[in-house]
Amino acid sequence: MIHPCHRKQIPSLKRIEGQLRGITKMIDEDKYCIDILNQIKAVKNSITAVEGKILKTHLRECIKNSL
């Protein structure tokens, strides 16, 4: 089975990686809880967006081809 390419998601994943490093830094610097939680929510939303794009590709290419 040929799998679709998801390389175009790499920039988003690298951005998420940077956001996670930023959250770690915020915790190290004792930033305000709500600010940290807001950044965590942003990361969760970003991951959900990448997940949705990969799922959409899977449905469009993998499932369609298997039928």
Side-chain angles (χ1 to χ4, degrees), residues 26-37:
M26 291 175 77
I27 292 170
D28 284 340
E29 294 174 353
D30 296 324
K31 298 293 183 179
Y32 185 54
C33 302
I34 298 300
D35 294 336
I36 295 168
L37 291 169

Side-chain angles (χ1 to χ4, degrees), residues 2-3 9 17-19 26 35 38 41 45 49-50 52-56 61 64 66:
I2 297 173
H3 299 285
Q9 300 309 319
E17 184 180 18
Q19 288 175 301
M26 291 175 77
D35 294 336
N38 284 336
K41 182 67 173 173
N45 289 338
V50 171
K53 290 173 185 175
I54 291 174
L55 178 59
K56 183 177 179 180
E61 296 185 25
K64 180 181 169 186
S66 69

Side-chain angles (χ1 to χ4, degrees), residues 1-49:
M1 175 181 222
I2 297 173
H3 299 285
C5 178
H6 298 290
R7 283 188 180 85
K8 58 187 166 185
Q9 300 309 319
I10 291 175
S12 295
L13 292 170
K14 288 184 185 257
R15 193 172 317 110
I16 292 166
E17 184 180 18
Q19 288 175 301
L20 288 170
R21 280 193 301 272
I23 293 169
T24 301
K25 184 177 176 187
M26 291 175 77
I27 292 170
D28 284 340
E29 294 174 353
D30 296 324
K31 298 293 183 179
Y32 185 54
C33 302
I34 298 300
D35 294 336
I36 295 168
L37 291 169
N38 284 336
Q39 289 304 310
I40 290 170
K41 182 67 173 173
V43 168
K44 287 169 65 174
N45 289 338
S46 297
I47 290 171
T48 299

